[in-house]
Amino acid sequence: MNINIDEKTDFQLLNRRIRGVEDKNIVINGCVGQRYIATGLSDKKLLINGTPGNALGSYLNGGEVTVYGNAQDATGDTMNSGMIVIHGNAGDATGYAMRGGKIYIKGNTGYRAGIHMKAYMDFKPIIVVGGRAGSFLGEYQAGGIIVVLGQNDDGLPIINNFCGTGMHGGKIYLRCDKLPHAIPSQIRVEKVKGSEVEELKSIIEDYCSYFKELNAEYLLNADFLSLFPDVDNPYKRMYTNN
Amino acid sequence: MFNSNPNYNSSPFEGEVRIPSGCAVSAIINRSGKPMTGEKIIRSISTMHDRSNGLGGGFAGYGIYPDYKEYYAFHLFFNDFQAKKATEDFIITHFEIVYSSEMKTRKVKGIGNEPLIYRYFLYPLSKRLTNSLMDEEQYVVKCVNKINAEINGAFVFSSGKNMGIFKGVGYPEEIGKFYLLDEEYQGYAWTAHGRYPTNTPGWWGGAHPFGLLDYSIVHNGEISSYDANRRYIEMFGYKCSLQTDTEVITYIIDYLIRVKKLTLQEIAKVISASFWSTIEEKSEEEKRKEIFLRKAFPSLLINGPFSIIFGFSGGIMALNDRLKLRSMVCAEKGDFAFISSEECGIRVIEPKLDKIFSPSGGQPVIYTLKEGGTL
């Protein structure tokens, strides 16, 4: 079903409406800044035209959210499972403390993507960014996988400062052969061939199935830098003296 | 000076307690200088309604007083007619009053307890100015500081030429309507603020923008370096009478531009300086510049999360703290440029944009008039 909204639509009314309708497929038109869309949903397929507000798909527990436009901050905050696909950019703190599911972004993401991302048993969150990421990518990352493909056309480097600060689990793949900025000494970097890493192959093939204009083979046929915590030199004292 | 008065107000004013805040900021400029009413900026800031809590809203408009553009436009809040009388006694001994009137307002639901609001177009008395041995702007700043610090119940909240600040307690869209910004005023640039103070009632003078001469600041954030910044800036004759962080930013920028003659880019490198480790990665030329600025003004580094929009005659500037702990989006469309806390604040007035991007922490984004900007 279609829900047409505008700047006057209150986010609470909208979210109550989304939860209330029987229809599993919902299209929202004219979205402009309404917050918390799809929060805690588990069984619906949402398509959003416009600019959804902060905390889109927070605590998402299944289902699929697709955005034709840019998402604002804290997309997929503490998301548990399901899928968020963004045909545009996503703002700061994308996938904040995410612990399962996938966030696929065609464009760029802002500061602190994947901050505090974690994994548990079968839950393994994945964020794929088509363009570039801002500073503090994977800050305090504890699990899951972040992939950045660097297909941005604004000439800026694939990552900004302080990538992986406090990272103690999980993995970050960057599609480049040289780091544009220094990273902490507690993080190890290995160069890998995209097409030779099974994990990366299946992620990028799946990602490209959502964005028809992208070619998985082309994207995989390149060097990637794989970033992960150095077990011989881990973070010990980020917060306290314990 | 405004203080809480136990006789008729049992709640403390701000500055007497600490206020963490949320807030929204927004700005529009037409770079060809074409005037627009406040209608667009009101729509922009009201889309981010949930970022404020109704305890403060305000706007700055540039180019709004073309018929009086040679004169300083003072906007004042008075607690009572006694304060008005005391202030006017001070003004007539320091300025020629070209025109004065009560500010035109309309009744708006949600706005109450407004102070007396007056506007004066002023020119410094030439003899007083000459005798003061100060330049004209310095003289005006001194007079503004004097009224705000020494006259009980009076507060100058706008003092620039051909610009004006309009603010108060309420949601920003209500404040915009209260001052009739959508009908009475046309400017080439507007900035706006929606406030979210949580610990005090909020008061009219404490709303944003803060202004001094034609500079204005709207600010979302909290400054943990406030006291260090205040102690330093007060050495140069500024009086932080409100004890809020936004006031100190206004004085810091005024000092760096007007007194120290720094460019806006240089100011960004002072107040939102790069980390030493980041400077280390830069080219020799940039390294030399940034190290110089950090060393010359270490006490003006502003720490803590902030996003600010600085307005001045001829332009606007967006700036984040160096860690980018507050959101900020910039966009362009034809002659228009936009700055907003959230993208929705831009899309609501211009759905189709030529360019949209989020500046990095510490990266200033400056939009000026194509011709005739003063900076």
Side-chain angles (χ1 to χ4, degrees), chain B residues 202-268:
Chain B
W203 68 288
W204 284 64
H208 301 199
F210 277 91
L212 190 63
L213 299 172
D214 64 323
Y215 307 139
S216 69
I217 289 276
V218 289
H219 163 230
N220 166 18
E222 263 185 87
I223 297 175
S224 45
S225 57
Y226 171 75
D227 251 338
N229 300 143
R230 181 189 59 79
R231 272 197 299 274
Y232 185 80
I233 203 72
E234 287 195 338
M235 294 198 298
F236 306 101
Y238 296 92
K239 283 269 174 303
C240 292
S241 49
L242 308 174
Q243 299 191 19
T244 75
D245 36 19
T246 311
E247 185 191 25
V248 83
I249 304 176
T250 313
Y251 299 153
I252 288 173
I253 295 187
D254 176 66
Y255 173 71
L256 292 175
I257 288 188
R258 201 169 49 80
V259 183
K260 287 292 165 188
K261 313 280 184 225
L262 261 53
T263 65
L264 291 175
Q265 276 88 355
E266 288 164 344
I267 287 172

Side-chain angles (χ1 to χ4, degrees), chain A residues 210-228:
Chain A
Y210 288 85
F211 302 104
K212 298 294 171 222
E213 57 277 40
L214 299 178
N215 182 316
E217 208 179 320
Y218 164 77
L219 289 171
L220 284 163
N221 186 23
D223 287 334
F224 282 73
L225 296 179
S226 160
L227 278 60
F228 49 93

